[in-house]
Amino acid sequence: MQFETVIGLEVHAQLKTKTKIFCGCSTEFGKDPNENVCEVCSGMPGVLPVLNEKVMEYAAKMGLATNCTVNQKSIFARKNYFYPDLPKGYQISQFDLPICEHGHLDISWEDADGEKHGKRIGITRIHMEEDAGKNIHSVAENASFVDLNRTGVPLIEIVSEPDMRSADEAVAYLKALRSILLYLGICDGNLEEGSFRCDANISVRPVGQKEFGTRAELKNINSFRNIHKAIRYEVARQIDLIEDGEKVIQETRLYDADKGTTHSMRGKEEAHDYRYFPDPDLVPLVIADEWLGEWQASLPELPAERKARFIDDMELSADDAELISSEKDIADYFEEVLEIHNDPKKVVNWIKGDFLRELNQSEMTVAECKFKPEMMAKLIQLVDKDTISIKIGKDIFNDVFTNGLDPEKYVKDKGLVQISDSSSLEAVVDKVLADNPDEVEAFKGGKKKLMSFFMGQIMRETKGKANPGMVSKMISEKLS
Ligand code: ADP
Ligand code: MG
Ligand code: ZN
């Protein structure tokens, strides 16, 4: 029997506000436990929540950026459950009337055979909610602790339709969402630190069957690579179960990154056993027309628009445009280089080859990187103006990148400036030809491939500094 995979994703994005969603406590990360806590977020009796305006603005902007309808009236609801990291005994979230609904996102991806695909993924809803705290279990102290610094930190939850059919699609969707969040500047999108968290709902069904199969929900996955692995593992597990005549049960499963497997965390019989009800402490949220208009007008250029501009105005290939535009930092860097050296195709090649390689190897963000756009522009100019050879440009890249050095000064100090002066070049060419009479004869007899042999010798003599164009012209003339 052939099976089809069905995936729907729930993404929690932590919003980059200065203060929490319903109180004035700081959201700053890395503080001592329970430093960012007040009566409201620690759930004292008799206190009242007050909505942080930035949270609705950010949630609405995410909705606008993903083609949602922004509901001008939305309702906060209590989701009731007990857990030590939730002192109120309920989480303030949204249920019946979320702030955004009915959106979609266009994604594209490449499969294992290198074939390109595109698809539209439905976004069911986006709602606002508060984060819970953290339980810390200490073996050393044989005790558990509760840290409420994260309690009340604002989140948006973005729920997709069950529209994805493979791990590739799921990862492409997540990358596209994250990219938009970063473009909007409303979330820092860090999977490892948990500011961008994904729960993956996965089911399988026989090809051709209309009804969805029973789903499992995977939690605890903190990198794109692990999301891909976790989905593939879970799909295989479900297919095995069915082929063995057993049933998939609806449950929440945890991904174990070390083992690459999933295991049951808790069963989930009824989806809605949280006794949601409208929060009586918060009035319905009504968004004025003017606000909505302002937010719409203040949306930045989004990744899809930027990609289109790179293709239309700069004539980049679709692949290059996608690669450069999907990360805002990299796209900004690219355009800053262009302000100094306006040759998009050349700059793209340096960025996707050398710059991204070094950036990945150093595990740095663009902001942390010491090699600033003006240095990159200078390096490309040195090569384009034949001041240094492309080979030297590539050779010195690691050094100037790592240490943030001015390439112009660097090549002067190290004496790497290309030899483009014909009399000094001619001396080297003559020497190499004189030293290799057999090759000279063979070249004259038609073995033109020997050009690269001569070039190699000359580069060795000049430590890579000879102007290759001038050298090959000189050799051709001398040996014709
Ligand atoms: P809950 O809030 O209980 O997790 P929802 O109905 O809100 O349940 O669904 C959550 C997510 O599960 C959505 O992204 C939805 O697309 C996805 N989903 C629902 N049914 C299935 C299914 N059979 N297979 C895969 N994903 C599903
Ligand atoms: Mg869920
Ligand atoms: Zn507080």
Side-chain angles (χ1 to χ4, degrees):
M1 207 191 291
Q2 286 279 77
F3 289 92
E4 181 181 49
T5 302
V6 173
I7 303 167
L9 300 173
E10 296 163 274
V11 169
H12 286 94
Q14 206 178 83
L15 297 179
K16 264 174 36 178
T17 55
K18 288 204 177 68
T19 55
K20 293 185 177 180
I21 182 170
F22 297 121
C23 63
C25 290
S26 164
T27 54
E28 199 181 327
F29 191 74
K31 289 291 182 143
D32 282 342
N34 299 308
E35 203 173 317
N36 297 343
V37 171
C38 72
E39 299 85 339
V40 173
C41 56
S42 61
M44 295 290 145
V47 297
L48 288 171
V50 176
L51 178 65
N52 178 343
E53 276 184 9
K54 279 281 166 204
V55 175
M56 73 171 171
E57 175 184 334
Y58 288 179
K61 281 187 172 166
M62 188 57 185
L64 293 171
T66 52
N67 312 290
C68 289
T69 305
V70 177
N71 291 324
Q72 284 183 263
K73 180 179 171 189
S74 75
I75 308 271
F76 285 100
R78 291 186 180 180
K79 178 177 178 177
N80 299 281
Y81 66 93
F82 173 78
Y83 208 61
D85 66 10
L86 187 76
K88 295 199 299 296
Y90 60 87
Q91 176 194 29
I92 305 178
S93 178
Q94 297 196 292
F95 187 58
D96 276 338
L97 252 186
I99 186 165
C100 308
E101 285 177 292
H102 313 306
H104 61 81
L105 190 56
D106 292 326
I107 62 165
S108 58
W109 73 96
E110 201 178 289
D111 65 23
D113 303 325
E115 214 173 304
K116 301 233 153 51
H117 306 268
K119 187 170 175 179
R120 175 162 290 183
I121 307 296
I123 290 177
T124 317
R125 55 188 276 145
I126 299 176
H127 64 252
M128 300 173 274
E129 61 185 28
E130 54 181 354
D131 209 345
K134 244 185 190 160
N135 294 333
I136 301 157
H137 306 292
S138 162
V139 177
E141 296 178 60
N142 191 27
S144 288
F145 301 90
V146 181
D147 176 6
L148 298 181
N149 281 348
R150 211 181 59 186
T151 313
V153 166
L155 304 175
I156 50 176
E157 178 170 343
I158 306 156
V159 182
S160 86
E161 290 291 304
D163 285 348
M164 286 152 276
R165 296 290 173 269
S166 68
D168 284 348
E169 289 178 38
V171 169
Y173 167 81
L174 290 170
K175 286 188 172 167
L177 266 193
R178 179 176 176 276
S179 169
I180 293 175
L181 288 164
L182 293 181
Y183 265 76
L184 292 174
I186 63 176
C187 168
D188 65 20
N190 194 322
L191 278 77
E192 268 135 61
E193 287 175 7
S195 57
F196 182 93
R197 315 198 272 267
C198 160
D199 301 340
N201 296 272
I202 298 162
S203 64
V204 298
R205 62 179 169 188
V207 169
Q209 177 182 305
K210 263 233 165 75
E211 306 79 56
F212 288 142
T214 306
R215 71 185 148 118
E217 180 172 341
L218 300 189
K219 282 189 186 290
N220 199 29
I221 336 178
N222 62 2
S223 71
F224 289 124
R225 193 221 284 251
N226 283 341
I227 289 165
H228 203 270
K229 281 198 206 156
I231 293 175
R232 302 203 20 161
Y233 175 86
E234 181 58 21
V235 167
R237 187 189 71 88
Q238 294 186 9
I239 292 175
D240 278 351
L241 276 178
I242 297 171
E243 285 179 338
D244 291 347
E246 291 173 54
K247 277 209 168 96
V248 175
I249 48 170
Q250 185 170 337
E251 62 182 352
T252 303
R253 299 180 67 85
L254 284 185
Y255 179 66
D256 182 331
D258 295 330
K259 297 202 192 98
T261 60
T262 65
H263 59 267
S264 182
M265 175 173 114
R266 60 166 182 254
K268 202 171 188 184
E269 303 79 36
E270 269 302 307
H272 306 308
D273 50 6
Y274 292 116
R275 295 173 186 274
Y276 279 99
F277 65 86
D279 192 315
D281 289 342
L282 285 155
V283 293
L285 174 64
V286 176
I287 295 175
D289 291 339
E290 306 96 83
W291 297 350
L292 203 52
E294 269 169 37
W295 299 336
Q296 179 81 60
S298 70
L299 286 184
E301 182 183 45
L302 293 168
E305 295 158 348
R306 203 170 199 183
K307 177 180 170 186
R309 180 165 61 83
F310 286 172
I311 296 173
D312 297 342
D313 297 0
M314 300 183 185
E315 293 174 12
L316 297 191
S317 71
D319 283 353
D320 286 351
E322 169 82 28
L323 180 80
I324 301 289
S325 64
S326 62
E327 291 248 6
K328 180 171 187 297
D329 282 356
I330 290 167
D332 289 345
Y333 188 97
F334 169 65
E335 296 213 64
E336 280 169 48
V337 177
L338 288 186
E339 271 173 32
I340 305 170
H341 189 62
N342 193 12
D343 187 341
K345 283 183 194 170
K346 280 232 171 85
V347 174
V348 152
N349 285 332
W350 281 94
I351 289 196
K352 70 177 182 182
D354 308 81
F355 183 74
L356 289 182
R357 181 194 63 236
E358 296 291 341
L359 199 66
N360 290 337
Q361 274 171 12
S362 62
E363 291 183 6
M364 266 192 275
T365 62
V366 174
E368 288 160 352
C369 158
K370 289 193 223 155
F371 195 57
K372 300 298 170 201
E374 54 277 15
M375 300 172 181
M376 180 68 140
K378 257 193 197 168
L379 179 65
I380 302 173
Q381 280 173 338
L382 289 170
V383 174
D384 284 1
K385 287 190 193 140
D386 276 341
T387 310
I388 57 173
S389 66
I390 179 102
K391 181 174 182 306
I392 296 229
K394 304 265 167 186
D395 286 350
I396 68 172
F397 199 89
N398 174 272
D399 206 4
V400 289
F401 175 93
T402 311
N403 300 303
L405 304 174
D406 171 5
E408 204 167 356
K409 184 166 182 312
Y410 185 92
V411 300
K412 274 204 192 109
D413 291 353
K414 301 234 167 187
L416 298 172
V417 173
Q418 179 158 262
I419 307 170
S420 298
D421 141 49
S422 46
S423 55
S424 2
L425 271 188
E426 191 161 13
V428 185
V429 171
D430 286 344
K431 175 174 183 297
V432 166
L433 295 182
D435 288 350
N436 299 282
D438 295 348
E439 282 77 7
V440 167
E441 279 318 303
F443 186 91
K444 283 183 176 163
K447 241 186 137 182
K448 299 294 178 206
K449 276 199 297 194
L450 282 167
M451 177 62 88
S452 57
F453 164 78
F454 294 127
M455 188 69 78
Q457 297 296 307
I458 287 158
M459 284 301 176
R460 213 163 73 185
E461 291 281 332
T462 59
K463 302 202 172 68
K465 289 189 288 181
N467 179 325
M470 289 177 72
V471 167
S472 73
K473 198 156 158 261
M474 244 175 223
I475 294 175
S476 301
E477 277 166 12
K478 285 180 187 286
L479 302 185
S480 67

